[in-house]
Amino acid sequence: MLRSYLPALVFIALGAGVGSLFAGLNRLFGYRNKRKPTTYRDDPYECGLPSEIQQGFRFGISFYLIAMLFILFDIEVVFLYPVAVQLKEFGTFALVELSVFIALLLVAFVYVWRRGALEWR
């Protein structure tokens, strides 16, 4: 039984080893140990341009709501692919279940749309 877990244990050990090695090398050779940190060096690099977003800047709730809805509907649509690939093997039952799933997705989308969650404010 241990032999079936051996590849996973080796993979975990290698991952932990490589991660620890890189963290140790960073601590040993990192620039913060050799140079004095300044506010200019601590600023995030934004494609060569100075960042215009202040630390107190907050995104609106509509941004997060649309992002969550996109992730929700995107992940649900991803579940359609495996069933669509094997639809001939699954038969009529899978087609009916797939139709119910799509109908529920459509109802949820219409509900979200009618509530105004997709309008950018």
Side-chain angles (χ1 to χ4, degrees):
M1 178 152 175
L2 184 60
R3 288 185 185 203
S4 63
Y5 290 112
L6 187 62
L9 293 174
V10 168
F11 185 73
I12 289 171
L14 282 174
V18 168
S20 299
L21 176 71
F22 286 159
L25 288 174
N26 186 28
R27 177 154 311 272
L28 184 64
F29 297 116
Y31 78 93
R32 290 197 185 265
N33 288 341
K34 298 186 184 222
R35 299 182 196 140
K36 193 174 196 179
T38 63
T39 56
Y40 180 73
R41 287 190 188 134
D42 290 337
D43 281 345
Y45 183 71
E46 300 278 340
C47 301
L49 300 173
S51 177
E52 296 179 10
I53 298 176
Q54 303 299 323
Q55 286 184 349
F57 179 78
R58 295 177 59 158
F59 287 104
I61 190 69
S62 60
F63 173 79
Y64 294 108
L65 186 60
I66 289 176
M68 285 190 306
L69 289 172
F70 171 75
I71 290 171
L72 179 72
F73 284 109
D74 189 43
I75 288 173
E76 288 179 350
V77 169
V78 166
F79 286 127
L80 295 176
Y81 182 74
V83 177
V85 169
Q86 297 293 325
L87 192 57
K88 285 185 182 179
E89 286 79 19
F90 291 151
T92 308
F93 177 73
L95 184 61
V96 171
E97 291 293 322
L98 200 60
S99 301
V100 169
F101 183 72
I102 291 173
L104 288 174
L105 275 179
L106 184 63
V107 167
F109 180 71
V110 169
Y111 173 77
V112 166
W113 190 1
R114 296 285 311 256
R115 294 283 299 198
L118 299 177
E119 294 180 17
W120 191 259
R121 294 177 215 140

